[in-house]
Amino acid sequence: MRKPNLVIIHHTAQNSCDQTLKTFTLTRTKVSAHYVICEDGTVHHMVNDYLRAQHAGLGKWGNITDVNSSSIGIEIDNDGSEKFKEEQMISLELLLAQLKRAYNIPQANFIGHADIAPTRKNDPNVNFDWKRIAEKGFGNWYGDTTNVQVPADFKPMLALKMIGYDIKDSTAAVTTFKRKFLQNEGLKPLTTNDKKVLYAAWLEAMK
Ligand SMILES: [Zn+2]
């Protein structure tokens, strides 16, 4: 038994909720998550919140190296590239509010699978609306960047690390950051505007 203090959001990368629910009940697959949210917004509670589930795999966030032991895993039914349904977002927000209240989980501790495993994972995909849920108190975002002046000595990789990312593979960390905070998929270096956003996100994370 443990008290969860972190929430990891996934997409299932499967074709249907039925397929996912079946996968999670087969012991040989050795995968499970606490919640599955189907396309129509139905929420299936699969594993007791106080028990550890196997959804995160190898990963790291800040100083946390055993993510499964401290987290709740939420799988959203999605083939890996499609948009998330409004019904799913509404159910997700209700579930996140319930978890935040029940376990007193800090706003910053609502993150995605890719955030903890940038070299292996890309979920939830680029269509996931992090800004929307951050405005409701789940996960950090950033403020207006119009008048942001990035200091000359600003170190982007250090900022990513301080936000929580494992920066061992710097390309993977940057890619993950851009997917989430700039809805920009692909291996691209940080532009001047990206650096502004990263600086603003870092300021937010350091509050
Ligand atoms: Zn995942």
PDB file of all heavy atoms in Angstrom, residues 98-112:
ATOM      1  N   GLN A  98     -10.883  14.665  -8.768  1.00  0.00           N
ATOM      2  CA  GLN A  98     -11.146  13.702  -7.689  1.00  0.00           C
ATOM      3  C   GLN A  98      -9.820  13.204  -7.078  1.00  0.00           C
ATOM      4  O   GLN A  98      -9.660  13.171  -5.861  1.00  0.00           O
ATOM      5  CB  GLN A  98     -11.874  12.544  -8.352  1.00  0.00           C
ATOM      6  CG  GLN A  98     -12.584  11.548  -7.481  1.00  0.00           C
ATOM      7  CD  GLN A  98     -13.115  10.423  -8.404  1.00  0.00           C
ATOM      8  OE1 GLN A  98     -13.828  10.712  -9.388  1.00  0.00           O
ATOM      9  NE2 GLN A  98     -12.741   9.202  -8.131  1.00  0.00           N
ATOM     10  N   LEU A  99      -8.849  12.891  -7.925  1.00  0.00           N
ATOM     11  CA  LEU A  99      -7.554  12.385  -7.451  1.00  0.00           C
ATOM     12  C   LEU A  99      -6.777  13.472  -6.718  1.00  0.00           C
ATOM     13  O   LEU A  99      -6.165  13.220  -5.675  1.00  0.00           O
ATOM     14  CB  LEU A  99      -6.716  11.860  -8.624  1.00  0.00           C
ATOM     15  CG  LEU A  99      -7.287  10.640  -9.357  1.00  0.00           C
ATOM     16  CD1 LEU A  99      -6.482  10.343 -10.615  1.00  0.00           C
ATOM     17  CD2 LEU A  99      -7.315   9.418  -8.438  1.00  0.00           C
ATOM     18  N   LYS A 100      -6.819  14.682  -7.264  1.00  0.00           N
ATOM     19  CA  LYS A 100      -6.090  15.796  -6.654  1.00  0.00           C
ATOM     20  C   LYS A 100      -6.606  16.037  -5.230  1.00  0.00           C
ATOM     21  O   LYS A 100      -5.832  16.228  -4.300  1.00  0.00           O
ATOM     22  CB  LYS A 100      -6.258  17.044  -7.514  1.00  0.00           C
ATOM     23  CG  LYS A 100      -5.354  18.183  -7.120  1.00  0.00           C
ATOM     24  CD  LYS A 100      -5.548  19.390  -8.025  1.00  0.00           C
ATOM     25  CE  LYS A 100      -4.544  20.474  -7.670  1.00  0.00           C
ATOM     26  NZ  LYS A 100      -4.742  21.675  -8.465  1.00  0.00           N
ATOM     27  N   ARG A 101      -7.925  16.007  -5.116  1.00  0.00           N
ATOM     28  CA  ARG A 101      -8.563  16.230  -3.821  1.00  0.00           C
ATOM     29  C   ARG A 101      -8.275  15.085  -2.853  1.00  0.00           C
ATOM     30  O   ARG A 101      -7.875  15.296  -1.716  1.00  0.00           O
ATOM     31  CB  ARG A 101     -10.076  16.380  -4.024  1.00  0.00           C
ATOM     32  CG  ARG A 101     -10.764  17.140  -2.937  1.00  0.00           C
ATOM     33  CD  ARG A 101     -12.262  17.374  -3.195  1.00  0.00           C
ATOM     34  NE  ARG A 101     -12.629  17.547  -4.594  1.00  0.00           N
ATOM     35  CZ  ARG A 101     -13.390  16.684  -5.287  1.00  0.00           C
ATOM     36  NH1 ARG A 101     -13.869  15.600  -4.716  1.00  0.00           N
ATOM     37  NH2 ARG A 101     -13.693  16.921  -6.547  1.00  0.00           N
ATOM     38  N   ALA A 102      -8.436  13.855  -3.325  1.00  0.00           N
ATOM     39  CA  ALA A 102      -8.287  12.685  -2.448  1.00  0.00           C
ATOM     40  C   ALA A 102      -6.870  12.512  -1.915  1.00  0.00           C
ATOM     41  O   ALA A 102      -6.682  12.118  -0.767  1.00  0.00           O
ATOM     42  CB  ALA A 102      -8.724  11.426  -3.194  1.00  0.00           C
ATOM     43  N   TYR A 103      -5.860  12.800  -2.739  1.00  0.00           N
ATOM     44  CA  TYR A 103      -4.472  12.510  -2.326  1.00  0.00           C
ATOM     45  C   TYR A 103      -3.618  13.757  -2.209  1.00  0.00           C
ATOM     46  O   TYR A 103      -2.405  13.648  -2.003  1.00  0.00           O
ATOM     47  CB  TYR A 103      -3.843  11.504  -3.307  1.00  0.00           C
ATOM     48  CG  TYR A 103      -4.721  10.289  -3.467  1.00  0.00           C
ATOM     49  CD1 TYR A 103      -5.346   9.996  -4.673  1.00  0.00           C
ATOM     50  CD2 TYR A 103      -4.966   9.445  -2.381  1.00  0.00           C
ATOM     51  CE1 TYR A 103      -6.181   8.896  -4.805  1.00  0.00           C
ATOM     52  CE2 TYR A 103      -5.803   8.344  -2.498  1.00  0.00           C
ATOM     53  CZ  TYR A 103      -6.413   8.082  -3.716  1.00  0.00           C
ATOM     54  OH  TYR A 103      -7.243   7.006  -3.834  1.00  0.00           O
ATOM     55  N   ASN A 104      -4.243  14.917  -2.367  1.00  0.00           N
ATOM     56  CA  ASN A 104      -3.516  16.168  -2.219  1.00  0.00           C
ATOM     57  C   ASN A 104      -2.294  16.220  -3.147  1.00  0.00           C
ATOM     58  O   ASN A 104      -1.184  16.536  -2.721  1.00  0.00           O
ATOM     59  CB  ASN A 104      -3.097  16.316  -0.739  1.00  0.00           C
ATOM     60  CG  ASN A 104      -2.868  17.756  -0.354  1.00  0.00           C
ATOM     61  OD1 ASN A 104      -3.232  18.665  -1.093  1.00  0.00           O
ATOM     62  ND2 ASN A 104      -2.237  17.964   0.780  1.00  0.00           N
ATOM     63  N   ILE A 105      -2.504  15.902  -4.398  1.00  0.00           N
ATOM     64  CA  ILE A 105      -1.417  15.849  -5.379  1.00  0.00           C
ATOM     65  C   ILE A 105      -1.124  17.259  -5.892  1.00  0.00           C
ATOM     66  O   ILE A 105      -2.032  17.975  -6.303  1.00  0.00           O
ATOM     67  CB  ILE A 105      -1.793  14.907  -6.550  1.00  0.00           C
ATOM     68  CG1 ILE A 105      -2.059  13.495  -6.009  1.00  0.00           C
ATOM     69  CG2 ILE A 105      -0.699  14.887  -7.625  1.00  0.00           C
ATOM     70  CD1 ILE A 105      -2.629  12.521  -7.022  1.00  0.00           C
ATOM     71  N   PRO A 106       0.164  17.680  -5.837  1.00  0.00           N
ATOM     72  CA  PRO A 106       0.499  19.039  -6.299  1.00  0.00           C
ATOM     73  C   PRO A 106       0.223  19.231  -7.800  1.00  0.00           C
ATOM     74  O   PRO A 106       0.352  18.279  -8.574  1.00  0.00           O
ATOM     75  CB  PRO A 106       2.009  19.142  -6.033  1.00  0.00           C
ATOM     76  CG  PRO A 106       2.366  17.985  -5.181  1.00  0.00           C
ATOM     77  CD  PRO A 106       1.329  16.938  -5.368  1.00  0.00           C
ATOM     78  N   GLN A 107      -0.126  20.454  -8.170  1.00  0.00           N
ATOM     79  CA  GLN A 107      -0.436  20.763  -9.575  1.00  0.00           C
ATOM     80  C   GLN A 107       0.654  20.283 -10.533  1.00  0.00           C
ATOM     81  O   GLN A 107       0.356  19.735 -11.602  1.00  0.00           O
ATOM     82  CB  GLN A 107      -0.644  22.277  -9.751  1.00  0.00           C
ATOM     83  CG  GLN A 107      -0.644  22.710 -11.223  1.00  0.00           C
ATOM     84  CD  GLN A 107      -1.531  23.887 -11.526  1.00  0.00           C
ATOM     85  OE1 GLN A 107      -2.073  24.524 -10.628  1.00  0.00           O
ATOM     86  NE2 GLN A 107      -1.711  24.183 -12.803  1.00  0.00           N
ATOM     87  N   ALA A 108       1.916  20.485 -10.152  1.00  0.00           N
ATOM     88  CA  ALA A 108       3.025  20.136 -11.054  1.00  0.00           C
ATOM     89  C   ALA A 108       3.130  18.639 -11.312  1.00  0.00           C
ATOM     90  O   ALA A 108       3.774  18.209 -12.267  1.00  0.00           O
ATOM     91  CB  ALA A 108       4.344  20.641 -10.471  1.00  0.00           C
ATOM     92  N   ASN A 109       2.502  17.835 -10.458  1.00  0.00           N
ATOM     93  CA  ASN A 109       2.680  16.385 -10.551  1.00  0.00           C
ATOM     94  C   ASN A 109       1.664  15.669 -11.439  1.00  0.00           C
ATOM     95  O   ASN A 109       1.466  14.466 -11.304  1.00  0.00           O
ATOM     96  CB  ASN A 109       2.688  15.760  -9.150  1.00  0.00           C
ATOM     97  CG  ASN A 109       3.947  16.119  -8.387  1.00  0.00           C
ATOM     98  OD1 ASN A 109       4.736  16.937  -8.853  1.00  0.00           O
ATOM     99  ND2 ASN A 109       4.138  15.514  -7.235  1.00  0.00           N
ATOM    100  N   PHE A 110       1.039  16.419 -12.332  1.00  0.00           N
ATOM    101  CA  PHE A 110       0.175  15.802 -13.348  1.00  0.00           C
ATOM    102  C   PHE A 110       0.942  15.906 -14.660  1.00  0.00           C
ATOM    103  O   PHE A 110       1.085  17.007 -15.221  1.00  0.00           O
ATOM    104  CB  PHE A 110      -1.170  16.532 -13.442  1.00  0.00           C
ATOM    105  CG  PHE A 110      -2.029  16.354 -12.210  1.00  0.00           C
ATOM    106  CD1 PHE A 110      -1.796  17.124 -11.068  1.00  0.00           C
ATOM    107  CD2 PHE A 110      -3.043  15.409 -12.191  1.00  0.00           C
ATOM    108  CE1 PHE A 110      -2.570  16.954  -9.921  1.00  0.00           C
ATOM    109  CE2 PHE A 110      -3.826  15.234 -11.051  1.00  0.00           C
ATOM    110  CZ  PHE A 110      -3.595  16.007  -9.917  1.00  0.00           C
ATOM    111  N   ILE A 111       1.485  14.790 -15.113  1.00  0.00           N
ATOM    112  CA  ILE A 111       2.373  14.819 -16.283  1.00  0.00           C
ATOM    113  C   ILE A 111       2.037  13.678 -17.244  1.00  0.00           C
ATOM    114  O   ILE A 111       1.159  12.852 -16.961  1.00  0.00           O
ATOM    115  CB  ILE A 111       3.866  14.741 -15.848  1.00  0.00           C
ATOM    116  CG1 ILE A 111       4.104  13.499 -14.987  1.00  0.00           C
ATOM    117  CG2 ILE A 111       4.291  16.003 -15.110  1.00  0.00           C
ATOM    118  CD1 ILE A 111       5.567  13.256 -14.650  1.00  0.00           C
ATOM    119  N   GLY A 112       2.766  13.638 -18.356  1.00  0.00           N
ATOM    120  CA  GLY A 112       2.516  12.610 -19.359  1.00  0.00           C
ATOM    121  C   GLY A 112       3.569  11.516 -19.326  1.00  0.00           C
ATOM    122  O   GLY A 112       4.658  11.700 -18.772  1.00  0.00           O
TER     123      GLY A 112
END
